Structure formats: C-alpha cells, structure tokens
C-alpha cells in the first residue's frame, strides 16, 4: 500500500521503493538483533555489502552511460568527417569526369582532322597515280611512234 501511496515504479530503479525496502530491512535487522546479536551483526554486514554492491553497479552504470555518450559523439564527429570526405571525393570525381569529356572531345577532333588529312592525302595520291599513268601511257605511245617508223 505504501508503494502505491508514494507512486513507486513497479520495475527498474525506483528511489521510493529503495527507501521503503531499506527502512523495512533496517527494522528487520533491529528486531533480529534484539533476539540474537550475532544474527543482527550478520544482517548488518549483508546490508552493508548489498549497499556497496548496488553503489558499484550504479557507478558502473553511470560510467557506461558516459562511455556510450562519448562513443556516440565520436561516431557523430566521424560521420561528419566522412560526409566531408565524401563531398570532396564527389567533387574530385566531377572534375575528373569533366577532364575525361574534354579529352574525349580533343581525341574526336584529332581523329576527325586526321581522317580528313588522310582522305586528302589519298585523293592527292590517287590523282598523282592517275597523272603518272597518263604520262606513262603517253610516253609509251610516243616511244612506240618513234620505234614504229624505224621498222619500215
């Protein structure tokens, strides 16, 4: 009833419940000590050991909470650093992509210019061959005309 009156929590750490249990245990120790002093001293030791154990657990709990908070802050900081690094890498990637496009445009222009030059060279070569064939044919005819009258 007292737990309900003082609105104690049913589960977890509750200071109200802890206080009421401590009062009850102290009263129990007092009554047992009246009957048998040795048992009372033993219960005092148990109570003190229990309080030290609970204090140690509370200290451990608090330090683990602090450790968790530190780790969470470090993770948050690490996350911000990683995000900045990702942004930097994405910027570098865009720069490289732009550079690749520029180089592709240059290679396309060079290939086009070279193919035009090659076509022009081939055309000149074909014209030169045709000219030489015509010249060769006319020289052959001329030579034949020189050689033909001498046979008669």
């Amino acid at each position: 009833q007292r737990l309900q009156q003082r609105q104690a929590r049913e589960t977890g750490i509750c200071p109200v419940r802890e206080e009421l249990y401590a009062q009850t245990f102290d009263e129990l120790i007092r009554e047992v000590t009246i009957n048998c002093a040795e048992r009372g001293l033993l219960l005092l030791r148990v109570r003190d050991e229990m309080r030290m154990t609970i204090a140690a657990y509370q200290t451990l709990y608090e330090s683990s909470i602090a450790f968790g908070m530190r780790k969470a802050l470090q993770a948050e900081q690490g996350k911000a650093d990683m995000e900045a690094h990702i942004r930097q890498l994405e910027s570098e990637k865009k720069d490289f992509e732009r550079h690749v496009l520029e180089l592709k445009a240059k290679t396309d222009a060079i290939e086009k210019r070279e193919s035009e030059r090659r076509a022009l060279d081939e055309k000149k070569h074909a014209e030169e061959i045709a000219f030489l064939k015509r010249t060769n044919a006319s020289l052959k005819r001329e030579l034949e005309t020189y050689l033909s009258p001498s046979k008669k």
Side-chain angles (χ1 to χ4, degrees), residues 28-46:
L28 185 65
I29 292 172
R30 190 185 66 76
E31 289 176 13
V32 168
T33 306
I34 291 173
N35 291 335
C36 179
E38 291 83 14
R39 286 184 186 169
L41 287 174
L42 187 61
L43 284 176
L44 276 175
R45 284 186 188 170
V46 168

Side-chain angles (χ1 to χ4, degrees), residues 12 28 35 41 57-58 65 68 76 84 94 96 99 102 111 116 130-131 142:
L28 185 65
N35 291 335
L41 287 174
Y57 280 133
Q58 285 177 335
I65 291 295
E76 192 64 33
K94 286 180 184 177
F96 285 134
H99 188 64
E102 290 172 4
E111 286 176 358
E116 289 172 355
F131 172 74
E142 225 178 282

Side-chain angles (χ1 to χ4, degrees), residues 54-86:
I54 289 174
Y57 280 133
Q58 285 177 335
T59 303
L60 183 63
Y61 173 76
E62 289 167 1
S63 67
S64 69
I65 291 295
F67 177 78
M69 291 300 288
R70 278 195 312 273
K71 285 297 179 183
L73 288 173
Q74 287 175 353
E76 192 64 33
Q77 179 64 34
K79 181 181 174 186
D81 291 344
M82 280 296 186
E83 287 174 349
H85 188 63
I86 287 171

Side-chain angles (χ1 to χ4, degrees), residues 5-122:
Q5 286 174 353
R6 296 188 57 187
Q7 299 174 347
R9 287 184 242 149
E10 290 186 28
T11 59
I13 298 174
C14 177
V16 174
R17 212 166 16 111
E18 186 179 337
E19 180 187 339
L20 290 174
Y21 287 158
Q23 288 175 3
T24 305
F25 198 57
D26 288 343
E27 181 61 25
L28 185 65
I29 292 172
R30 190 185 66 76
E31 289 176 13
V32 168
T33 306
I34 291 173
N35 291 335
C36 179
E38 291 83 14
R39 286 184 186 169
L41 287 174
L42 187 61
L43 284 176
L44 276 175
R45 284 186 188 170
V46 168
R47 181 196 65 190
D48 292 342
E49 192 67 32
M50 179 186 66
R51 285 182 180 168
M52 287 191 317
T53 303
I54 289 174
Y57 280 133
Q58 285 177 335
T59 303
L60 183 63
Y61 173 76
E62 289 167 1
S63 67
S64 69
I65 291 295
F67 177 78
M69 291 300 288
R70 278 195 312 273
K71 285 297 179 183
L73 288 173
Q74 287 175 353
E76 192 64 33
Q77 179 64 34
K79 181 181 174 186
D81 291 344
M82 280 296 186
E83 287 174 349
H85 188 63
I86 287 171
R87 284 192 297 275
Q88 176 192 357
L89 291 175
E90 286 176 348
S91 173
E92 288 179 14
K93 177 185 163 202
K94 286 180 184 177
D95 290 343
F96 285 134
E97 287 173 347
R98 193 175 319 112
H99 188 64
V100 165
L101 289 176
E102 290 172 4
L103 291 176
K104 281 184 180 179
K106 282 183 180 179
T107 56
D108 290 344
I110 289 171
E111 286 176 358
K112 183 179 177 186
R113 188 171 59 239
E114 285 301 310
S115 66
E116 289 172 355
R117 187 189 60 78
R118 194 175 313 114
L120 186 62
D121 286 348
E122 288 175 1

